[in-house]
Amino acid sequence: MNNDRAHIFNAGPAVLPFEALQKASKAVLNYNGLGLSLIEMSHRSKEFEAVHLEAISNLKEIYNIPADYEIIFLQGGASLQFAMIPMNFLKQGETAHYVDTGTWSTKAYKEAKNFGEVKVIATSEDKKYTYIPKNIPDEKCSYLHITSNNTIRGTQYFNFPKIKNSPLICDMSSDILSRQVNISDFDMIYAGAQKNAGPSGVTIVIIKKTFLESSACKSAYLNYKTHSKENSLYNTPCTFATYVMGEVFKWIKSIGGLDEVEKRNREKAKLLYDCIENSNGFYRAPVEKNDRSWMNVPYKLPTEELEAKFLKEASLKRFFGLKGHRSIGGVRASLYNACPLESVQALVSFMKEFKKNN
Ligand code: PMP
């Protein structure tokens, strides 16, 4: 770990591999010694094309993406996907099904309602979104939408619904590339890059070609087919974000791919949840044990006063981003791929010390 680095637990934009930041800082000043910056280059130049194609090819390799899937890089964040998905795939006379696991999935179905019939077929609202609904009905519909990791509530799917009767779409914004997944289980996966994959400004879409072809969206820009045909260069992309994301993909390959990433993520999450569990109730994680996210760990202290004191002392020790989301309060530590084990060890030591003194 680089000694100048603070402990970064931001929920997104979030910690990135230091190697990728070093490469990016050089590329911004003088790309490959060409005498111009990466962000001064045309997105149609052969240099940027190489960056773009390499990023796509590395993502394919890391995730073992089958040949009948397309990779598209878009802008507008995951929030634009909330609208594009129904615009492209919610058919007239049909219904789209959503599983509501809080905040982002709620936003996704509320946006879809603007375009047609939507049904929430499962929800964990009854227990303040502290679990993942099981036994999700496999009914015929335009598509079923789930959110694999709930950034604010701290829940995560460890078994995806086995769906045969409709296409399955997954918002993986906050756990993309955090573990192995079987891409063929999904018709579409999407994610804003700014947690595990890169800086904000680029959105990854992995989509089955036959599903893509079924789009009926009338807008050229908002139709996935347009971007697929133009290899994600229909209009000017966020070249910087694509470059840094490409460097993050290279970093994932260099440490041993998703098996190694998953191993590290399990270890970090276990360390923090064990600390919470062994604190005799001083720290409390609200999420049901089997659904606890490896990525985002929300927890509470005995009083709001102690939480404020905890956050103040933590910030003096250069722990960044520990304040819980404004909608639920408390503390939240985001342990994305690039968060080093050392940062989690430092957080756990601080938590033990804080408990002893309070
Ligand atoms: N989905 C999830 C799971 C998220 O965590 C977020 C952002 N935190 C979004 C969607 C919205 O992403 P964006 O800000 O890229 O629109």
Side-chain angles (χ1 to χ4, degrees):
M1 188 172 163
N2 181 297
N3 286 336
D4 297 338
R5 297 273 281 166
H7 299 298
I8 305 164
F9 295 100
N10 284 323
V15 60
L16 288 170
F18 193 64
E19 293 84 337
L21 296 177
Q22 279 176 316
K23 292 286 285 293
S25 70
K26 276 195 189 143
V28 163
L29 291 177
N30 186 353
Y31 185 68
N32 277 358
L34 291 173
L36 84 169
S37 166
L38 170 97
I39 53 176
E40 294 173 319
M41 274 168 12
S42 166
H43 60 295
R44 311 258 173 225
S45 62
K46 67 175 188 328
E47 288 82 8
F48 182 75
E49 194 188 17
V51 167
H52 181 79
L53 293 177
E54 191 180 23
I56 291 175
S57 129
N58 280 334
L59 181 59
K60 275 191 185 149
E61 185 184 329
I62 292 167
Y63 252 149
N64 200 10
I65 298 176
D68 57 337
Y69 282 74
E70 267 312 298
I71 292 172
I72 309 175
F73 297 151
L74 298 174
Q75 298 181 67
S79 300
L80 181 61
Q81 298 307 300
F82 295 168
M84 276 176 75
I85 288 166
M87 289 176 89
N88 281 263
F89 303 118
L90 176 46
K91 297 196 186 81
Q92 270 213 327
E94 286 189 5
T95 306
H97 289 180
Y98 282 73
V99 179
D100 180 20
T101 43
T103 320
W104 298 110
S105 57
T106 313
K107 281 202 173 171
Y109 85 74
K110 285 193 171 158
E111 178 72 299
K113 267 191 188 167
N114 294 319
F115 300 94
E117 279 300 312
V118 169
K119 184 165 132 192
V120 175
I121 48 146
T123 174
S124 48
E125 195 185 3
D126 58 337
K127 291 192 185 160
K128 294 191 179 153
Y129 300 112
T130 52
Y131 70 102
I132 295 288
K134 311 290 173 327
N135 303 319
I136 290 155
D138 182 8
E139 293 170 8
K140 195 169 162 25
C141 59
S142 283
Y143 59 82
L144 169 67
H145 180 281
I146 61 170
T147 311
S148 53
N149 183 76
N150 297 284
T151 325
I152 294 175
R153 304 290 170 168
T155 59
Q156 189 173 18
Y157 283 79
F158 293 101
N159 293 299
F160 291 110
K162 293 270 168 279
I163 295 298
K164 289 196 187 70
N165 293 322
S166 64
L168 180 61
I169 300 183
C170 185
D171 174 0
M172 279 194 195
S173 290
S174 51
D175 66 352
I176 190 143
L177 295 167
S178 66
R179 56 182 170 175
Q180 294 280 9
V181 293
N182 187 10
I183 301 294
S184 319
D185 289 344
F186 303 90
D187 292 82
M188 173 173 165
I189 291 168
Y190 68 96
Q194 66 269 21
K195 290 130 187 353
N196 266 335
S200 56
V202 58
T203 307
I204 300 168
V205 173
I206 304 170
I207 184 166
K208 200 171 188 167
K209 285 179 186 166
T210 47
F211 185 53
L212 171 79
E213 285 308 319
S214 74
S215 165
C217 178
K218 289 204 171 69
S219 153
Y221 188 77
L222 297 173
N223 191 318
Y224 293 105
K225 284 193 265 189
T226 305
H227 298 279
S228 159
K229 263 189 221 122
E230 301 292 336
N231 192 27
S232 303
L233 293 170
Y234 173 69
N235 71 322
T236 317
C238 185
T239 52
F240 180 69
T242 305
Y243 173 81
V244 182
M245 187 171 71
E247 290 304 318
V248 173
F249 297 162
K250 286 186 204 164
W251 172 77
I252 290 177
K253 282 176 61 175
S254 77
I255 64 168
L258 291 183
D259 285 339
E260 177 61 22
V261 167
E262 178 170 331
K263 192 172 135 245
R264 293 183 185 191
N265 286 335
R266 277 178 189 274
E267 186 180 359
K268 288 182 290 177
K270 182 171 183 328
L271 192 61
L272 182 48
Y273 284 117
D274 281 353
C275 169
I276 293 169
E277 286 304 307
N278 297 332
S279 71
N280 290 326
F282 186 81
Y283 299 108
R284 279 172 298 118
V287 172
E288 288 185 10
K289 280 193 181 153
N290 291 337
D291 297 333
R292 286 181 177 173
S293 166
W294 301 344
M295 300 282 97
N296 310 97
V297 182
Y299 54 98
K300 300 258 184 198
L301 276 73
T303 63
E304 283 185 10
E305 289 69 38
L306 274 176
E307 279 168 3
K309 190 171 179 223
F310 177 91
L311 291 169
K312 190 164 173 219
E313 288 183 21
S315 73
L316 294 174
K317 291 188 180 299
R318 298 209 307 159
F319 290 102
F320 277 87
L322 287 174
K323 196 171 182 338
H325 190 267
R326 59 190 183 279
S327 60
I328 62 165
V331 178
R332 171 180 54 174
S334 297
L335 315 180
Y336 299 123
N337 289 352
C339 171
L341 177 65
E342 288 84 347
S343 285
V344 187
Q345 286 165 335
L347 175 61
V348 163
S349 301
F350 169 67
M351 285 167 68
K352 287 183 181 162
E353 192 63 25
F354 187 84
K355 180 182 171 249
K356 205 164 71 193
N357 298 336
N358 291 277

